[in-house]
Amino acid sequence: DTGVSQDPRHKITKRGQNVTFRCDPISEHNRLYWYRQTLGQGPEFLTYFQNEAQLEKSRLLSDRFSAERPKGSFSTLEIQRTEQGDSAMYLCASSLSPSQFFGPGTRLTVL
Amino acid sequence: AQSVSQHNHHVILSEAASLELGCNYSYGGTVNLFWYVQYPGQHLQLLLKYFSGDPLVKGIKGFEAEFIKSKFSFNLRKPSVQWSDTAEYFCAASEPRTSGTYKYIFGTGTRLKVLA
């Protein structure tokens, strides 16, 4: 499968714990995006990378969130000291052109 | 502020009925427009896109959309829906940034249910 992959697909954690998600984009795509989606809403932009450079972060991305793309390939999104409000689907997308291709998402549940 | 609006949150149709889902955007300059579909339990998939040229674009599975610049609209249409079109549909807009990348804004989605 040469699409965007995300790991894990589901994560249940207790409030206050740290979690890390991984995204593997389509191999030749230099742009990588993270979104958050809650029930009844469309994906909300969190941050994006061009190669290894993080070019923009949304105001939604509090100091507890950090994203990296160390070698311009896969990316990680870490949430520290999780809160119940962080419960959502976290989506990754990659692109080479204006069209984005999405991964299956990681569903986070914070108890 | 840049935004994308989808006014129909839930739509229920019978098979063979015609479909039109509304999408309006607020961008001042050059904009790329997209429709994505999310079938139950699956990830977002690109249905169709508009960058420039012919304002009537055709996508997969018999869907089409028309870009009307004067109305800031990009409505999705299908002449005859099937039960398998039951899904959530998202309109999205992006504008090119000076960095060469694109920032996307999504609408809140329209949940379509097609009755067999």
Side-chain angles (χ1 to χ4, degrees):
Chain A
D1 187 343
T2 57
V4 179
S5 61
Q6 292 187 246
D7 185 70
R9 296 290 302 276
H10 303 273
K11 178 72 177 177
I12 300 174
T13 190
K14 292 182 179 178
R15 190 174 53 185
Q17 297 294 304
N18 299 343
V19 294
T20 299
F21 310 141
R22 176 178 170 126
C23 170
D24 286 89
I26 294 170
S27 59
E28 64 268 25
H29 287 184
N30 60 345
R31 297 168 185 150
L32 187 147
Y33 302 77
W34 285 99
Y35 293 86
R36 181 170 67 190
Q37 186 178 19
T38 53
L39 198 62
Q41 299 295 319
E44 294 175 290
F45 168 80
L46 292 178
T47 189
Y48 68 64
F49 293 83
Q50 181 160 305
N51 299 313
E52 65 275 10
Q54 188 174 20
L55 296 185
E56 188 169 342
K57 294 195 294 186
S58 163
R59 294 174 192 174
L60 293 174
L61 217 61
S62 76
D63 292 343
R64 297 185 296 106
F65 289 70
S66 62
E68 295 183 340
R69 194 182 183 197
K71 295 183 180 178
S73 56
F74 73 91
S75 175
T76 58
L77 177 69
E78 182 183 15
I79 309 174
Q80 296 182 325
R81 304 181 304 281
T82 52
E83 301 172 357
Q84 288 184 324
D86 297 330
S87 295
M89 178 75 85
Y90 289 85
L91 299 171
C92 176
S94 71
S95 73
L96 191 59
S97 70
S99 298
Q100 292 187 339
F101 296 87
F102 282 82
T106 295
R107 183 171 295 283
L108 172 66
T109 302
V110 182
L111 302 176
Chain B
Q2 300 150 350
S3 65
V4 174
S5 301
Q6 292 181 246
H7 306 296
N8 315 105
H9 298 294
H10 293 90
V11 173
I12 301 175
L13 295 172
S14 298
E15 275 195 314
S18 64
L19 170 71
E20 180 160 4
L21 301 181
C23 173
N24 289 91
Y25 65 93
S26 63
Y27 274 93
T30 304
V31 63
N32 300 320
L33 296 161
F34 307 84
W35 276 97
Y36 283 85
V37 60
Q38 189 167 27
Y39 298 103
Q42 297 187 26
H43 59 278
L44 282 161
Q45 300 172 40
L46 182 64
L47 259 184
L48 49 78
K49 60 193 176 192
Y50 172 79
F51 294 162
S52 64
D54 189 344
L56 185 62
V57 292
K58 296 192 183 299
I60 60 172
K61 306 188 181 187
F63 286 91
E64 64 178 31
E66 185 175 12
F67 169 58
I68 303 179
K69 190 173 181 180
S70 61
K71 295 184 178 180
F72 297 91
S73 69
F74 189 58
N75 292 355
L76 181 71
R77 299 195 293 247
K78 186 171 184 178
S80 176
V81 295
Q82 300 173 318
W83 178 81
S84 57
D85 293 324
T86 294
E88 191 157 17
Y89 293 81
F90 294 93
C91 182
S94 75
E95 61 172 2
R97 317 284 272 180
T98 54
S99 60
T101 56
Y102 297 83
K103 181 174 180 180
Y104 287 66
I105 304 292
F106 283 82
T108 52
T110 296
R111 201 175 287 268
L112 171 67
K113 184 170 184 176
V114 180
L115 304 174

